[in-house]
Amino acid sequence: MAPKGKLVIIGGAVDLGSSLSYNENINHPHYIKFFERGILKRIITESKNTADPVIEVITTASKIPEIVGPEYIKSFNQLQVKNIQVLDIRTREDAQIPEYLERIKKADIVMFTGGDQLRLSSIFGGTEFLKILRKRYQEELFIIAGTSAGAAAASANMIYRGSSSEALIKGEVQITGGLGFIEGMIIDTHFVQRGRIGRLFYAVASNPGLLGIGLGEDAGLLITEGNCLEAIGAGLTILVDGRFIEETNIYDVEIGSPVSIENLRVHVMSIFDTYDLQKHELHIKKAVKIEEDVYLKLKDYD
């Protein structure tokens, strides 16, 4: 059964979770301009309660939650959202706190920040907290959003480690279970800027039944009904389809040896393009229509 909820996955750059403490330009007024006025705004407009949504920000993936949380509150406040709180969950014990469980039952939107996706899977895996989120996503008009690590962890299978330069060496890319909001795909983030295409090639070659999703910075996907992907944000999204792989040596070569793959299919999505997961079809938005849509959306954000 298709989920009633919506999933928003974002590639990073303005993830405010993994790079914030190292970015000297974080206080520049234009640093998160598009993120605030574009992707965050779209998350709000997709909510069932667009006028005053209840938002919970989960900073678990971040090593600097005390900085990240207030930045998200400020960003949403600038979009006239006032009912926003931070769930500062740092341990599995925190994830069992009754107050937190009640809060996610009442939220319209839950947003996972960036950082380390392995923290998300190891802290939330098997908890009542995660069961509630999955149930609400399946049965209600409920939005789960994640950026950077929060996006990478959204699927059932998750890349959690792997060198970009040596990704196509057997054993370099490490995959584990994610939060499991959606099946049939594996997600990587900061994709174009950090040269992570090899990581996604390897992940898909090791399981050709998965669609690889490579989210560039300032790029996101809105996933509705579990099968329709819409590109949102200014960046690029790369899709890697392994269903037509004709040959690979990934299962024969020794650990530490290079991997060969024949006939991977790659698609590139930009803003407003859509992809049908059931039909495996990419629909590219015509340029004239894109200009009209951008104008109307930006007009709404002003």
Side-chain angles (χ1 to χ4, degrees):
M1 184 178 70
K4 293 184 179 180
K6 301 176 183 180
L7 184 64
V8 180
I9 51 175
I10 307 158
V14 285
D15 55 82
L16 307 182
S18 56
S19 59
L20 178 61
S21 60
Y22 308 105
N23 196 318
E24 63 184 8
N25 295 318
I26 188 61
N27 292 317
H28 191 282
H30 301 297
Y31 180 71
I32 53 177
K33 180 178 179 180
F34 182 80
F35 194 54
E36 291 176 352
R37 300 175 69 120
I39 297 177
L40 285 190
K41 179 67 175 180
R42 183 63 184 273
I43 292 171
I44 295 166
T45 58
E46 290 293 332
S47 171
K48 67 178 181 181
N49 183 8
T50 58
D52 188 26
V54 176
I55 302 176
E56 295 286 355
V57 175
I58 300 174
T59 57
T60 305
S62 178
K63 293 181 180 179
I64 47 171
E66 68 282 352
I67 300 176
V68 172
E71 285 295 328
Y72 271 96
I73 290 175
K74 181 171 69 175
S75 298
F76 277 111
N77 283 168
Q78 289 175 354
L79 293 169
Q80 311 307 313
V81 176
K82 305 302 179 185
N83 201 350
I84 174 171
Q85 298 184 82
V86 173
L87 288 170
D88 185 11
I89 297 173
R90 307 192 190 195
T91 66
R92 288 181 63 82
E93 186 177 7
D94 290 343
Q96 305 290 351
I97 295 174
E99 176 197 344
Y100 291 173
L101 299 181
E102 288 303 310
R103 281 167 57 179
I104 60 167
K105 289 178 182 178
K106 297 175 181 178
D108 298 308
I109 301 167
V110 166
M111 178 140 199
F112 289 88
T113 71
D116 179 357
Q117 54 263 43
L118 194 58
R119 287 183 56 81
L120 294 175
S121 60
S122 59
I123 289 176
F124 290 112
T127 63
E128 183 65 19
F129 191 99
L130 184 56
K131 291 177 183 176
I132 293 170
L133 288 181
R134 286 176 177 169
K135 181 177 174 62
R136 293 200 64 201
Y137 174 64
Q138 286 294 322
E139 299 179 359
E140 303 176 37
L141 184 52
F142 173 62
I143 295 180
I144 297 175
T147 183
S148 191
S155 55
N157 298 276
M158 177 185 81
I159 298 171
Y160 72 92
R161 192 174 69 179
S163 160
S164 298
S165 60
E166 299 182 348
L168 287 171
I169 302 298
K170 187 172 180 177
E172 281 297 313
V173 176
Q174 303 295 314
I175 299 172
T176 189
L179 300 179
F181 300 127
I182 192 164
E183 304 280 344
M185 64 176 60
I186 191 162
I187 302 161
D188 210 349
T189 58
H190 300 280
F191 190 71
V192 178
Q193 291 76 7
R194 298 187 186 179
R196 288 178 168 174
I197 195 162
R199 297 200 335 174
L200 205 55
F201 282 174
Y202 186 95
V204 172
S206 67
N207 191 339
L210 298 177
L211 179 69
I213 306 288
L215 294 164
E217 297 183 351
D218 267 345
L221 287 178
L222 168 65
I223 305 175
T224 54
E225 298 180 349
N227 59 38
C228 180
L229 315 182
E230 180 191 343
I232 57 178
L236 296 175
T237 295
I238 312 298
L239 306 183
V240 179
D241 186 349
R243 293 175 303 127
F244 302 97
I245 290 176
E246 294 181 9
E247 189 57 83
T248 177
N249 63 356
I250 196 168
Y251 42 79
D252 285 331
V253 298
E254 300 293 328
I255 295 294
S257 300
V259 170
S260 302
I261 312 164
E262 180 184 7
N263 208 37
L264 270 175
R265 290 194 178 181
V266 177
H267 308 287
V268 182
M269 298 179 69
S270 59
I271 190 167
F272 302 127
D273 290 347
T274 59
Y275 186 84
D276 188 320
L277 280 173
Q278 290 185 333
K279 297 180 180 179
H280 297 281
E281 292 178 352
L282 176 64
H283 302 281
I284 296 175
K285 201 81 165 184
K286 300 301 181 184
V288 173
K289 183 62 175 172
I290 289 175
E291 291 178 2
E292 292 175 357
D293 287 347
V294 170
Y295 172 77
L296 291 173
K297 288 180 182 296
L298 292 178
K299 185 177 180 182
D300 288 342
Y301 300 155
D302 289 334

